[in-house]
Amino acid sequence: MNLQDMPSPAPSHIELPLPAFAPGEPFKEPAADGFILGGFTWRHASHDSARPVVIINAATSVRCRHYARFADYLHVNGFDVITYDYRGIGESRPASMKGLRASWSDWGTLDFEAMLKRAQHEFPGQPIDVVAHSFGGCAAGLGASGPVIRRLVTVGAQFAYWRDYAPAHRWRMLGKWHLVMPLLTMLYGYFPGKRLGWLEDTPAGVVRDWSTPTARYEKRPSGRDLHVKTFAAVKAQVLAISISDDPYGTIPAIERLLGYFTHSRKTHLRIAPEDIDQTDVGHFAFFRSAYQATLWPIALSWLQSGELAPGTPGRLVPRS
């Protein structure tokens, strides 16, 4: 289905230009197990129960600072915004990574859940939306408070099943992330990704989850005690954005994760770089300020109205 075939959505707020970048206010928030998480808040001076607050879930081992300009963009356009780092990453990194108990499921059931709780007590009565990158889309389905999420925008969201990787890159990615990464983790007690230029240093439990070759999240090491009911409890309006040159976010990978959100209204938008006059975008570039005029308004429109604006680039992936 082409976007030209879609009915026009309800009018949304006008996008405002982005002024000089304003950094967020740092905070510390304990998770339910006492682990202290760090992050940043962009808040408006006065409380408004009609103003949504957006939580941004990062990709695996990507610092929340990567999303700061996008967070500021949302703030300028009328949202309160929370960014944070999962335990072991960035603002939530302990003194030593060795022995740190942290898995993908901890990042969702404890860390993201802590942000949902924070949003509710820091911004009482306000709607809660989520923007989630890569594994952050999976984390969005793991919080016990997931039913409070009103709208969810995911970008390249999947949980790294190797057969879903783009065929042209599959064997190289399999060797890098499913062989070399776990071997180095065994040697160091954590994955020393920063010194290699492969994302941030990463807890061993996260590496075990990532590198396990199974198509079902609940069969990952930390997912075996989970019930997928938390995904089903999310009733948000979901927009899944995928980029055609993203070797992680292929259509099968995106659809595999979307299948867990059984009670959400889901829209999958597939964008090719040429749709926005680019030669490449890939897995990480969406949140760079270079795409403020082309890609960011897509997420903004969905958060404002739950619809895609007329003329949105890309095509809709048919729902099965």
Side-chain angles (χ1 to χ4, degrees):
M1 178 178 181
N2 294 321
L3 291 182
Q4 288 81 1
D5 300 326
M6 295 173 55
S8 297
S12 63
H13 301 302
I14 296 174
E15 179 188 352
L16 299 178
L18 196 63
F21 172 67
E25 169 192 341
F27 70 80
K28 297 292 183 183
E29 181 75 23
D33 64 347
F35 193 97
I36 303 299
L37 303 166
F40 300 91
T41 303
W42 284 256
R43 74 173 72 234
H44 292 266
S46 60
H47 175 264
D48 182 351
S49 61
R51 180 193 305 122
V53 54
V54 178
I55 302 170
I56 298 180
N57 282 359
T60 296
S61 301
V62 175
R63 297 187 66 165
C64 69
R65 291 174 182 265
H66 177 69
Y67 309 92
R69 291 190 179 274
F70 180 75
D72 188 48
Y73 166 85
L74 294 181
H75 180 249
V76 168
N77 281 282
F79 295 84
D80 294 311
V81 186
I82 295 171
T83 68
Y84 70 103
D85 280 313
Y86 308 119
R87 60 188 63 201
I89 309 299
E91 309 302 314
S92 304
R93 181 182 175 127
S96 174
M97 292 288 288
K98 290 184 178 180
L100 173 64
R101 179 187 178 276
S103 66
W104 265 350
S105 294
D106 292 328
W107 284 1
T109 61
L110 293 171
D111 301 352
F112 174 59
E113 174 66 14
M115 295 305 118
L116 288 172
K117 295 290 190 185
R118 179 177 178 83
Q120 290 174 82
H121 68 70
E122 287 287 312
F123 303 94
Q126 295 180 218
I128 297 175
D129 297 334
V130 176
V131 173
H133 183 202
S134 195
F135 170 75
C138 189
L142 293 172
S145 299
V148 305
I149 303 171
R150 181 187 66 153
R151 291 173 186 149
L152 170 61
V153 176
T154 69
V155 178
Q158 34 67 49
F159 51 87
Y161 175 47
W162 71 275
R163 290 185 182 276
D164 289 340
Y165 295 154
H169 303 273
R170 183 177 298 149
W171 297 110
R172 179 183 61 82
M173 293 170 67
L174 179 66
K176 181 176 182 177
W177 300 119
H178 299 263
L179 295 175
V180 176
M181 182 170 66
L183 286 173
L184 288 175
T185 300
M186 290 175 61
L187 180 63
Y188 287 92
Y190 66 96
F191 176 59
K194 193 167 186 178
R195 73 186 69 178
L196 296 172
W198 296 8
L199 310 177
E200 293 292 308
D201 294 345
T202 304
V206 170
V207 172
R208 283 192 294 271
D209 282 329
W210 185 341
S211 59
T212 299
T214 176
R216 297 294 300 176
Y217 182 77
E218 63 272 25
K219 293 185 178 180
R220 305 280 164 135
S222 74
R224 289 170 183 162
D225 295 328
L226 293 177
H227 299 285
V228 295
K229 292 179 180 178
T230 54
F231 287 92
V234 176
K235 297 179 175 62
Q237 297 170 302
V238 179
L239 171 64
I241 299 172
S242 64
I243 308 296
S244 65
D245 70 332
D246 176 359
Y248 301 91
T250 61
I251 291 176
I254 304 301
E255 290 295 317
R256 188 177 304 280
L257 177 59
L258 283 177
Y260 281 84
F261 292 92
T262 54
H263 289 92
S264 293
R265 177 171 70 82
K266 296 166 286 189
T267 299
H268 181 176
L269 176 67
R270 186 78 169 168
I271 302 172
E274 53 266 30
D275 293 335
I276 56 170
D277 298 321
Q278 297 291 313
T279 57
D280 59 86
V281 177
H283 189 62
F284 295 100
F286 183 100
F287 295 96
R288 294 174 184 163
S289 55
Y291 295 98
Q292 178 194 333
T294 52
L295 295 178
W296 293 5
I298 301 171
L300 178 66
S301 176
W302 190 268
L303 293 171
Q304 290 173 332
S305 67
E307 300 287 349
L308 293 170
T312 297
R315 65 180 180 87
L316 297 180
V317 177
R319 306 282 343 133
S320 58

